[in-house]
Amino acid sequence: NAGVMQNPRHLVRRRGQEARLRCSPMKGHSHVYWYRQLPEEGLKFMVYLQKENIIDESGMPKERFSAEFPKEGPSILRIQQVVRGDSAAYFCASSPGGGPYNEQFFGPGTRLTVL
Amino acid sequence: ELKVEQNPLFLSMQEGKNYTIYCNYSTTSDRLYWYRQDPGKSLESLFVLLSNGAVKQEGRLMASLDTKARLSTLHITAAVHDLSATYFCAVVPNAGGTSYGKLTFGQGTILTVHP
């Protein structure tokens, strides 16, 4: 039973380019959370999605960032026109249900470097 | 806004010694997680603490939860080098709000165990 998968594991972009980060949840999980970890900091919540729905995007920057979780395929976190401050590790976690009583399982992360 | 604070943020220990990491949080919660993160890696779940007075032990690590004091501790017994890592606590607010299960992390405690 494969765990949460993320790709790419490492991504290098130049300022102004787009970054697309993918997350495939564990089998049977239909809830995905995205977190960002800036250097030397803890993880911070960005967005929570169920299949085809964004439930809570209170942690997403207002501009340039978007997320989706289509009916088929992985969840995608998209960052347009990246800037150096976007350099971070981005983790997704999946759970079998939403709410506080379902444990989240983390993927290996995507480390984004913006040159 | 939920705040989660860990202390100390940096901990340098000698092998064989005992120490405790503290995690304070600012709102009611009866679900708290402890994670370990090695450099460049994802989060490894150590403990899930579900109720007041919960105590769990795994090897040289023991975690406890006091929901009345809004405090969790991670106690390290007879530290060994392999325990060197960053340790995070994370809290889910009680159901009834709109937390949707999103985790709020502490800043992390960087533990270094040396001979």
Side-chain angles (χ1 to χ4, degrees):
Chain A
N1 185 16
V4 179
M5 300 203 302
Q6 290 187 248
N7 68 82
R9 297 288 302 275
H10 299 272
L11 182 60
V12 178
R13 285 287 179 265
R14 297 192 181 278
R15 280 178 296 169
Q17 291 184 318
E18 179 180 285
R20 280 187 183 234
L21 288 61
R22 295 175 188 76
C23 169
S24 296
M26 286 179 70
K27 189 175 180 181
H29 289 190
S30 58
H31 298 253
V32 166
Y33 299 79
W34 285 92
Y35 295 86
R36 177 166 68 173
Q37 185 177 30
L38 294 169
E40 312 299 330
E41 293 188 13
L43 280 72
K44 289 197 169 29
F45 168 79
M46 299 182 76
V47 61
Y48 162 47
L49 310 101
Q50 296 178 23
K51 284 281 187 182
E52 298 185 276
N53 286 301
I54 297 174
I55 306 301
D56 181 354
E57 56 183 346
S58 58
M60 288 276 269
K62 294 285 185 279
E63 296 177 350
R64 302 187 297 108
F65 285 72
S66 62
E68 63 177 13
F69 190 12
K71 187 176 179 182
E72 302 289 339
S75 175
I76 295 176
L77 180 69
R78 182 180 177 210
I79 311 172
Q80 294 178 291
Q81 299 176 335
V82 296
V83 301
R84 288 221 174 102
D86 296 332
S87 295
Y90 292 82
F91 292 95
C92 80
S94 74
S95 71
Y101 302 118
N102 291 282
E103 186 173 357
Q104 296 171 33
F105 297 84
F106 283 82
T110 294
R111 279 148 184 89
L112 172 65
T113 301
V114 179
L115 301 178
Chain B
E1 180 189 342
L2 171 59
K3 289 192 182 343
V4 181
E5 293 188 348
Q6 289 180 234
N7 74 84
L9 301 184
F10 299 92
L11 180 53
S12 180
M13 296 177 64
Q14 272 192 307
E15 281 190 327
K17 298 291 188 185
N18 305 333
Y19 211 85
T20 300
I21 300 171
Y22 298 88
C23 174
N24 291 272
Y25 54 95
S26 63
T27 192
T28 54
S29 171
D30 54 9
R31 180 163 286 240
L32 187 142
Y33 298 83
W34 282 98
Y35 294 94
R36 169 183 171 143
Q37 186 181 38
D38 291 293
K41 303 292 187 184
S42 187
L43 279 75
E44 174 191 352
S45 178
L46 295 175
F47 300 107
V48 181
L49 302 170
L50 301 178
S51 60
N52 189 41
V55 176
K56 290 195 174 179
Q57 182 161 6
E58 180 73 35
R60 300 174 188 275
L61 301 178
M62 184 173 72
S64 66
L65 178 62
D66 181 343
T67 57
K68 291 187 172 62
R70 298 180 185 173
L71 171 69
S72 179
T73 61
L74 180 67
H75 186 73
I76 303 155
T77 302
V80 293
H81 179 70
D82 285 353
L83 290 178
S84 297
T86 300
Y87 293 84
F88 293 98
C89 63
V91 174
V92 178
N94 276 353
T98 55
S99 70
Y100 300 116
K102 64 190 179 193
L103 294 165
T104 299
F105 284 81
Q107 313 96 307
T109 296
I110 300 174
L111 171 64
T112 304
V113 181
H114 52 87

